[in-house]
Amino acid sequence: MNLFSIVMGILLSILVISLGLTMIRLLIGPSIPDRAMAFDTIMLHVVGIGSITAALTDAVMLIDAVIVVAVLGFLGTVALARYIEEGGN
Amino acid sequence: MSLIEIITVALTAMGVFFTLVSSIGLLRLKDIYTRGHAVGKAGTLGVIGILLGVAFTFGDVLTGLKLLALIAFFFLTAPVATHMLERAAFLDEVNPIAKTQPNDLEGRYDYETRRLG
Amino acid sequence: MLPAIVLITLALAPLGLLARTGPRPLVGWALALLPALSFALLLFQLPQVTGTTQIREVIPWVPTMGVELSFALDGLSLLFALVITGIGTLIIGYAGHYMHDDPGLGRFLLYLILFMGAMLGLVLAGNVLTMFIFWELTSVTSYLLIGYKHDYPGARRGALQSLVITAGGGLALLLGLLILGEGARHAGVAPNQIYNFDAIIAAGAEIKAGPFYTPALLLILVGAFTKSAQFPFHFWLPGAMQAPTPASAFLHSATMVKAGVYLLARLAPGLGDTPLWHAALVLVGGFTFAFGALVATRKDDIKALLAYTTLSMLGGLIMLIGLGGKYAAEAVAVNILAHALYKSALFMIAGIIDHEAGSRDLRHLGGLRRMMPATAFFIALALLSQMGIPIFFGFVGKELLIEAALESLLAAPWRYAALAAIVIAAVGYIIAAWRLFKHAFLGTSSPTLAQRHHVADPRGMLVSPAIPALLSILVPLALLPWASQLLAPAASVVYGKPISFDLALWHGFNTALMVSSGAILLGILLARFERPLAALPPHLPAWADGADLLDRLLAGVDRIGGLIMGTLQTGQLRRYMLYNTITLLLITGVPFVLYVLPGLSFITPDPQLRIYEAFAAALIPIAVVAAIRAESRLSAIISVGVVGAMVSLFFILFSAPDLALTQLLIEVLSTVFLLLVFSILPARFANLSSPATRMRDAILSGMVGLLVAGLVLATATTTIFEPLAPYYLENSLAKGKGQNVVNVILVDFRGFDTMGEVTVLLTALLGIYGLLRMRREKQ
Amino acid sequence: MYDSIILRSVARLMLPILLMLAVFMLLRGHNLPGGGFIGGLVASCAIILQLVAFGPEAARRVLRVNYLGLAAFGVFFAALWGLPSLIGGQPYMTSLWIPEPIPGVGKIGTPVLFDLGVFFGVIGVTTQIALLLAEERRPRETHDAGTPAT
C-alpha cells in the first residue's frame, strides 16, 4: 500500500463523506428544486468517485463510464428542471 | 512518490476540497438561490480539479484527450444545469428569504406559453 | 402401409364435404369406398398375422426420447381395424340415406371420417404415445358428433358431458402412461423403447414388481373406464344418444367405446394377473355388466335401451379380461365381433324406425311388422343374436363367456360372482330385446303411429343393417372356420401366448349349455310378466344420477371462477402489486427460509473492502427513506433516481463499467419517462391510503427486501453450482473475438437471449403504442 | 413552446457530440465497455435531450425516420444476422467472422451486425415511447385552463 494509493483513498473517503452531506439535503430539501440540486450534485460526486477509482485501480475503461455518467447527470437535471417548472410541484 | 503522483494528488485534493465545500454550502446556506452557487462550484472547480488530477496518471494520450473533452463538457453544461434549476425554482414561486432588490422579472413571465417577456 | 391407411383416412376426411352436392345416397356410398378399400387392404394382411407376430412401421419423431409415430398390426388390432372399417363402410352408406334431407351432411361425414381415421390410428398404434394422441382425437370428434345438432340444448349438454368425462379420463390416462413409461425405464427397458407396447409387455413382470405399477394401473383404468362408460362414469353414454343415429351406431356401439376394452386387452398379458388387476376389472366390469342390463329393461326410448345394453356388454368384456385365461381371451375376441355385428344392426334399424315411424319411444310404436316386414325380419335376427339364442353368433359368444367364468383360474368367489353377473345380464338382454320387439313390431299400432300415412320399408337404408344382421346368423352356420382363423390371433394377443381354436356351434352337453339354457328359460318367463316389472321405480334416486351431478359440478366451477376473478381483477395497480408481493413471499420466501437460510454462511468481510465502500453502502438507505417520505411525485421520482445512481456508483467502485453504464442509462431514462407521465397526472398525491394499509405495505416490502438480500447472499456464497465466469472469461477472446466479456456474452454466446430481449422491447413498445392510441381516440 | 435560449443552444451543440459518442460506444463494444444496447440508450438520450429542449416535433426531425419502423427494422436486422450460420449448417446464430480485420474498424462478424440491429431497435423503442408520452395531450388544471401546452 504505497503512499499514493493511501492518499487517494483518503481523498475518496472525503468525497464519499461529502456525498453523504448531499444525501441529507436530498432528504430534508424543503422544495423540489432543492432535491433536484441534490440529484445534480450527487451525479457530480459519482463522476468524481469514478475518476478517482479509475486512477486508483488504473482501469482506463472506467473513464468511458464516467463520460456517460456526466452526460446523464446533465440530461437528468435539465429534464427535472423543465418538468418542475411546467408540471408544478 | 514520483513527480506525476504529487501533481495528481495536489490537483485531486483541490478538486475534492471544492466539492466538499460545496456540499457543506449546499447544506448550510439558507435559501435555494444561494445554494445554486454551491452547486455551481462543485460542478466546475470540484469535478474539473479531480479530472485534471486523474488525467496525468494514465499516461496514454487518448485517455488524456477524453478527459480534456470531458472537462470542456463540464465547463459547458454545469452552469446551464444550475441555471435551469434556479429558473425552475424561481418560476415555481419558491420565495427567497431576503427580499432585497426589486424583482426584474415581475409580470414578464407568461405562464400561458411559458415564455419570458 | 399401416400409417398410410391412418393418415390417408385423416387427410381425406374433408372429402366428406362433397356430400353437400349431388345425390346424397350415391355420394354416401361413393365415400364409403374409402373404408371399404382399407377393409380389403387389411384383410390381405390376415395371413401374415398369426399368433402374436407383429408388422411394425415407425416414423421417427423425437428419437432421443423414444417418441415416434409407430404403427403395429397384430391379431387384436387387425380384428378391431376390420370392425372399424367394415362397419364404417356400412355406416357412411347408411348416413347418405338417413340424412339425405339434412343440410349439414357434409360436415357430419367430415367428422365421421375424421373419427374413423383417429380410431384406426388408435388400434394400429404401436407405441403408447401415438395411441394416446389418437385416443384424444376420438374424444374430440365424438364431442363434435354428439353436438352435431348444436341448436338443441340436450345435444350440447350431452356433448359437453361426454367431452368432460372422456377428456378427463384421457388426462388420467396420459399420466398413467407416463408413469408406466417410468416403470418400464425403472425395469431396465432401453430409454427409447420405454413407450413401446411390446417392450412394456415383455418387461411386464419387472414392472409389476416395481413401485410405479399401482399408480400407473389405477390411472390407466380410470382412462379406460371413462372411455368405455363403466359404472361410475357410465352416464355420458346415454347422454351421447343425442348424436344422429349413424354416429351412435358407429361410435357409441361398435368402435369408440371399445377403445378402453382394446387398451386393457392389449396391456393384459403384460400388466394382468395381479390381485389389483383382477379385482378392479372383474368388480367394475361385472357390476356394469349386470347393472346396464337391468336398467336397459326399464328404458322406453330404443336408443337409450341399446345404449345401456352396450355399456353392459362392455362391462362384460372388461370382466372377461379381468378373469384371464385361455377361454376368456377367446370369449373377448368372439364377443367383440358378435356384439359389433348385432349392436350396429340394432342401432341402424332404430334409426330406420325413428326415420319412418317418426318416434323412438316404444309407447308410441306398435304393429310395425305389417308396415315394415323386412325391417322386422332383420331386427329379429339381430335381437335373437343379442339374446344368445342357440344357432346365433351371440350364443357362441355367450357359451364362451360362461366357460371363461367357469374355467377361470381365479378363486371361487370371483368365479361365482362373474357367473351371477352373466346370468343377470343374459336375463336382462332377453327381457329388453323382447320388450323392444313386442312394443315396436307386434300388437296394434299406437294412435300417433296410425296417422302417419306412409310407413314402409325404406329401400336403400335397409341395406346397411341387413348385412351385419345376416352375418349374425350366417357366421355361426357357415363361416365358423374362417371366423376362428380371424379370431385366433386376436385371442392369442390377449392371452399372451399363441392359441388356436376352432369355433363350433355344438360343444356337447356341458355345464355352460345348462347355464345358458337356464338363463334363456328364466328370461322368457320374466318377459311374460312384464307388467310387475314396469311397476318398479323407474330411475335411480336423483342424487345418484351422474348427469345432474356433473352439471352441478360444472356450475360450481363457474361460480368459483367468477369469485376469484372478482377479488383479483379489481383494476387497481396497487392491488396487483400486493398480490404479486404476497405470491413472491409465499413461493420463494417460504422455501428460502426453510431450506436455504439455515445453510447460509455469512461471508467474512472481504479484506479488500475499503471503509469508503462500506460508508457509501450506508448512504443508500438515506435515499430510500427520502423516496418513502416524499410527499410530492417529483421528489419521489428524484429520490428513486438517486437510489439508482448510488447502485451504479457501486458498480463503478467495483470497476464494472458496462454494468454501471447500463444501470445509469436505464435509471435516467426511466426518470425522464416518469417525469413525462407524471406531468400529466395531478402533481400532489391525491389521497394517501390509510395508515393501516401503509403499515401493511411497509411490512410486506420490508420482508421482500430481506428476501432479496438473502437470495443475493445465497447466490454469492453457494457452492452447489460451479460459477460460469471462468468458462466465459477464458473463451471470450478465443471464440468471441473480444476482450469485453460482458458484451461478448450479450451478443455472441447468449445472442439468442438478447434476441428475445429485443423482441420483448418491441412488443412493449407496441403495447404502449396501442394503449396510448386508444386513449387518443377516446378523447 | 417551451423556450429557454440557453438550454436550446446547449442542446443544439450537444446533439452531434452525443450521437457520435453513441456510435463510438456501439462500434467498440466488443473489446471495451459499450455495445449495441448502451450505444442505443446513449443515442436515445441525445434525442430525448432534443425532446426536452425543443419539444416532440424537433425530436422527430432528428433522425427523419418513423421510430416505430426503426424499432421493428432493428429487431428484424438483428434476427437476420442469425441466419448465415444456418446456411453453414451450424445452429442458429453461431457467430461467423470475416478472416482479417478491416483497418480502422476492426473485425466484423455476425455478432457485431447483430449488435447493430440491437442498436437500432433500442433507439427506436426508447425514443418512440418518450415521444408517445410527450405528445399526450395534457389536461392542464393549474396555470392555464385546458389549452395544450405543447
Side-chain angles (χ1 to χ4, degrees):
Chain A
M1 282 293 281
N2 58 29
L3 187 61
F4 173 73
S5 56
I6 293 170
V7 173
M8 293 302 263
I10 295 164
L11 287 177
L12 201 53
S13 317
I14 297 167
L15 253 185
V16 170
I17 292 165
S18 86
L19 179 62
L21 299 177
T22 332
M23 296 290 274
I24 296 167
R25 170 52 64 194
L26 177 80
L27 194 60
I28 55 172
S31 73
I32 297 172
D34 288 311
R35 292 205 171 93
M37 280 189 188
F39 174 82
D40 190 28
T41 320
I42 288 170
M43 294 305 254
L44 294 176
H45 278 88
V46 170
V47 167
I49 293 172
S51 331
I52 296 181
T53 327
L56 260 177
T57 56
D58 211 10
V60 183
M61 297 186 296
L62 274 183
I63 296 297
D64 301 327
V66 162
I67 293 173
V68 175
V69 169
V71 168
L72 288 172
F74 173 67
L75 176 67
T77 320
V78 162
L80 275 174
R82 157 126 190 230
Y83 288 103
I84 291 171
E85 182 187 331
E86 183 174 287
N89 48 23
Chain B
M1 280 272 279
S2 65
L3 178 63
I4 295 179
E5 282 176 352
I6 292 170
I7 297 171
T8 318
V9 165
L11 285 169
T12 320
M14 185 196 80
V16 166
F17 168 72
F18 273 109
T19 316
L20 185 63
V21 161
S22 71
S23 306
I24 297 167
L26 189 65
L27 206 57
R28 297 281 307 282
L29 293 172
K30 291 294 168 292
D31 73 25
I32 189 158
Y33 304 101
T34 43
R35 279 182 215 130
H37 296 294
V39 171
K41 296 297 171 297
T44 47
L45 284 171
V47 169
I48 284 159
I50 297 173
L51 289 176
L52 265 179
V54 162
F56 293 102
T57 56
F58 289 113
D60 72 9
V61 178
L62 180 64
T63 327
L65 277 178
K66 261 193 252 177
L67 283 168
L68 283 180
L70 192 56
I71 290 164
F73 171 81
F74 268 107
F75 259 121
L76 194 66
T77 56
V80 170
T82 325
H83 156 74
M84 292 300 297
L85 287 173
E86 294 291 341
R87 171 188 159 119
F90 177 75
L91 299 174
D92 219 19
E93 281 99 21
V94 175
N95 305 328
I97 292 179
K99 276 183 79 60
T100 48
Q101 312 88 349
N103 171 356
D104 314 341
L105 291 177
E106 202 60 45
R108 292 179 56 208
Y109 179 74
D110 160 9
Y111 285 101
E112 193 64 40
T113 60
R114 306 222 158 282
R115 278 182 189 287
L116 258 178
Chain C
M1 190 271 300
L2 297 175
I5 294 178
V6 174
L7 300 180
I8 287 172
T9 319
L10 285 175
L12 292 186
L15 278 184
L17 297 176
L18 293 179
R20 286 214 184 94
T21 59
R24 292 295 177 71
L26 198 61
V27 170
W29 285 111
L31 283 171
L33 285 181
L34 170 70
L37 184 68
S38 320
F39 181 83
L41 261 172
L42 287 164
L43 213 53
F44 285 128
Q45 304 306 323
L46 186 54
Q48 283 107 352
V49 168
T50 53
T52 56
T53 55
Q54 245 186 15
I55 310 167
R56 170 175 290 278
E57 287 164 39
V58 173
I59 305 170
W61 186 1
V62 181
T64 48
M65 284 166 60
V67 176
E68 67 229 352
L69 275 181
S70 89
F71 294 90
L73 185 73
D74 63 6
L76 186 64
S77 36
L78 177 63
L79 171 64
F80 267 88
L82 289 177
V83 165
I84 295 165
T85 42
I87 294 183
T89 322
L90 300 176
I91 294 284
I92 293 180
Y94 173 81
H97 291 291
Y98 181 77
M99 300 166 80
H100 61 270
D101 51 4
D102 183 329
L105 178 60
R107 182 162 59 92
F108 179 76
L109 286 181
L110 164 70
Y111 297 150
L112 208 65
I113 299 173
L114 206 62
F115 165 78
M116 194 195 307
M119 198 62 205
L120 275 173
L122 193 150
V123 292
L124 295 176
N127 102 359
V128 163
L129 295 180
T130 325
M131 186 205 75
F132 179 74
I133 296 167
F134 291 112
W135 181 284
E136 288 299 287
L137 193 54
T138 53
S139 299
V140 170
T141 38
S142 144
Y143 169 77
L144 290 172
L145 282 165
I146 298 171
Y148 170 71
K149 292 201 281 291
H150 43 69
D151 33 24
Y152 287 79
R156 280 203 300 271
R157 176 171 176 252
L160 177 66
Q161 281 194 351
S162 83
L163 185 66
V164 166
I165 298 285
T166 46
L171 272 180
L173 176 66
L174 175 62
L175 204 55
L177 293 176
L178 292 178
I179 296 175
L180 189 63
E182 281 317 304
R185 193 198 307 275
H186 179 73
V189 172
N192 58 9
Q193 286 297 333
I194 54 173
Y195 292 118
N196 281 358
F197 273 121
D198 44 22
I200 291 173
I201 290 167
E206 296 84 9
I207 295 179
K208 275 187 268 187
F212 294 97
Y213 175 68
T214 324
L217 182 64
L218 287 178
L219 287 168
I220 291 173
L221 284 181
V222 166
F225 287 163
T226 47
K227 194 75 165 185
S228 298
Q230 289 309 296
F231 171 66
F233 314 105
H234 65 286
F235 53 87
W236 73 268
L237 193 55
M241 288 308 128
Q242 300 291 336
T245 314
S248 308
F250 191 36
L251 274 80
H252 303 124
S253 70
T255 52
M256 185 181 117
V257 283
K258 291 217 173 75
V261 172
Y262 165 78
L263 176 62
L264 292 179
R266 182 163 287 291
L267 292 176
L271 304 179
D273 300 334
T274 59
L276 174 66
W277 173 274
H278 293 304
L281 270 73
V282 173
L283 264 184
V284 173
F287 182 79
T288 321
F289 195 26
F291 167 79
L294 288 182
V295 174
T297 58
R298 319 283 322 118
K299 289 298 168 188
D300 289 329
D301 170 3
I302 297 179
K303 279 182 84 174
L305 183 145
L306 294 179
Y308 273 98
T309 45
T310 306
L311 67 88
S312 142
M313 192 61 208
L314 293 171
L317 289 171
I318 286 181
M319 183 185 76
L320 271 174
I321 300 170
L323 291 172
K326 188 165 110 54
Y327 284 101
E330 277 172 48
V332 166
V334 168
N335 276 301
I336 286 173
L337 186 58
H339 176 265
L341 290 179
Y342 70 71
K343 192 46 67 65
S344 52
L346 284 174
F347 260 108
M348 286 196 248
I349 293 172
I352 291 172
I353 295 172
D354 190 11
H355 191 266
E356 292 300 317
S359 137
R360 302 198 302 249
D361 194 327
L362 290 177
R363 291 174 296 229
H364 304 310
L365 299 172
L368 284 175
R369 71 183 181 295
R370 281 190 301 284
M371 294 174 247
M372 299 160 72
T375 318
F377 169 68
F378 288 122
I379 198 168
L381 287 183
L383 286 174
L384 288 170
S385 175
Q386 175 179 347
M387 291 153 82
I389 304 303
I391 54 162
F392 283 83
F393 200 19
F395 170 72
V396 175
K398 201 160 71 179
E399 276 282 296
L400 284 170
L401 202 67
I402 296 165
E403 267 166 42
L406 293 174
E407 262 84 23
S408 142
L409 311 167
L410 294 182
W414 292 115
R415 294 211 306 273
Y416 292 125
L419 210 57
I422 293 168
V423 167
I424 295 169
V427 166
Y429 287 176
I430 291 166
I431 297 170
W434 173 251
R435 272 190 79 239
L436 176 66
F437 193 75
K438 185 162 85 70
H439 285 290
F441 288 87
L442 304 181
T444 59
S445 50
S446 67
T448 51
L449 190 57
Q451 301 123 15
R452 281 185 74 87
H453 44 80
H454 170 66
V455 176
D457 281 326
R459 270 290 144 275
M461 213 159 27
L462 200 53
V463 167
S464 301
I467 296 170
L470 284 174
L471 277 175
S472 301
I473 179 73
L474 284 180
V475 165
L477 292 182
L479 301 171
L480 267 189
W482 177 80
S484 50
Q485 197 202 348
L486 167 67
L487 297 175
S492 44
V493 166
V494 177
Y495 191 45
K497 290 183 278 302
I499 42 176
S500 68
F501 57 86
D502 41 18
L503 293 168
L505 251 184
W506 187 253
H507 285 283
F509 282 98
N510 53 25
T511 46
L513 190 64
M514 291 304 142
V515 170
S516 81
S517 41
I520 293 168
L521 285 174
L522 191 59
I524 293 168
L525 269 174
L526 284 178
R528 266 271 155 303
F529 312 103
E530 192 233 341
R531 261 154 315 285
L533 269 181
L536 288 175
H539 299 295
L540 292 167
W543 58 267
D545 175 4
D548 291 346
L549 268 177
L550 190 63
D551 282 343
R552 257 186 262 115
L553 181 71
L554 291 178
V557 166
D558 290 347
R559 248 198 329 282
I560 294 167
L563 210 63
I564 294 174
M565 182 66 178
T567 50
L568 282 186
Q569 303 296 336
T570 54
Q572 285 158 341
L573 209 51
R574 288 196 303 280
R575 191 165 284 272
Y576 297 153
M577 279 308 290
L578 185 65
Y579 294 137
N580 288 350
T581 8
I582 292 175
T583 333
L584 173 69
L585 283 176
L586 290 180
I587 291 179
T588 23
V590 169
F592 173 77
V593 167
L594 293 178
Y595 304 112
V596 178
L597 202 54
L600 204 57
S601 63
F602 283 88
I603 41 171
T604 54
D606 153 24
Q608 285 107 12
L609 185 67
R610 297 286 187 284
I611 17 100
Y612 52 79
E613 281 159 2
F615 187 56
L619 294 181
I620 297 186
I622 302 178
V624 171
V625 166
I628 293 170
R629 285 189 53 257
E631 67 295 342
S632 79
R633 289 190 202 290
L634 279 173
S635 347
I637 297 171
I638 295 168
S639 317
V640 167
V642 166
V643 170
M646 291 301 291
V647 169
S648 69
L649 174 68
F650 265 86
F651 289 140
I652 289 180
L653 279 175
F654 297 129
S655 70
D658 275 278
L659 284 176
L661 269 177
T662 319
Q663 163 78 15
L664 211 63
L665 279 161
I666 298 289
E667 205 50 54
V668 170
L669 278 172
S670 38
T671 314
V672 171
F673 286 163
L674 281 171
L675 284 174
L676 286 171
V677 171
F678 278 123
S679 63
I680 303 167
L681 296 175
R684 287 253 155 248
F685 284 144
N687 44 15
L688 291 174
S689 33
S690 69
T693 359
R694 267 189 283 141
M695 183 48 68
R696 173 200 68 190
D697 295 346
I699 295 168
L700 272 180
S701 30
M703 284 157 70
V704 170
L706 285 173
L707 171 65
V708 171
L711 286 174
V712 166
L713 199 58
T715 36
T717 59
T718 179
T719 50
I720 304 163
F721 311 104
E722 69 290 346
L724 284 173
Y727 166 75
Y728 282 119
L729 280 172
E730 107 230 351
N731 293 343
S732 154
L733 195 60
K735 296 209 188 88
K737 311 263 181 319
Q739 281 109 2
N740 176 357
V741 172
V742 171
N743 197 8
V744 165
I745 295 177
L746 258 179
V747 173
D748 194 336
F749 292 116
R750 305 298 296 263
F752 211 64
D753 298 354
T754 321
M755 188 64 230
E757 277 145 35
V758 176
T759 333
V760 163
L761 271 178
L762 185 63
T763 335
L765 170 64
L766 294 178
I768 295 172
Y769 195 80
L771 282 174
L772 292 180
R773 178 52 56 84
M774 255 192 322
R775 227 170 77 89
R776 211 162 289 164
E777 256 90 34
K778 259 211 310 289
Q779 272 159 355
Chain D
M1 234 312 286
Y2 180 88
D3 90 322
S4 145
I5 311 295
I6 300 163
L7 178 62
R8 283 193 180 182
S9 47
V10 168
R12 203 172 291 121
L13 179 67
M14 290 296 293
L15 182 62
I17 300 172
L18 281 182
L19 287 181
M20 244 188 352
L21 180 68
V23 173
F24 172 69
M25 281 285 178
L26 165 69
L27 286 181
R28 64 186 192 112
H30 237 46
N31 301 320
L32 291 161
F37 203 72
I38 291 175
L41 287 175
V42 170
S44 338
C45 280
I47 298 171
I48 287 174
L49 185 60
Q50 303 305 310
L51 168 70
V52 168
F54 297 95
E57 298 75 22
R60 282 202 184 283
R61 277 200 306 275
V62 167
L63 283 183
R64 292 220 179 15
V65 79
N66 160 5
Y67 290 106
L68 187 61
L70 182 67
F73 167 73
V75 174
F76 167 71
F77 190 79
L80 205 64
W81 287 106
L83 299 180
S85 59
L86 282 183
I87 299 161
Q90 290 139 330
Y92 181 70
M93 207 165 258
T94 339
S95 60
L96 302 172
W97 291 89
I98 296 173
E100 327 77 28
I102 300 165
V105 180
K107 286 195 285 294
I108 298 291
T110 50
V112 174
L113 293 164
F114 172 79
D115 219 3
L116 191 61
V118 169
F119 178 71
F120 288 129
V122 165
I123 297 178
V125 168
T126 325
T127 329
Q128 180 64 18
I129 292 179
L131 288 171
L132 279 174
L133 293 174
E135 279 156 359
E136 270 301 298
R137 258 197 297 286
R138 276 173 192 68
R140 305 265 3 104
E141 81 282 28
T142 45
H143 299 294
D144 23 40
T147 54
T150 48

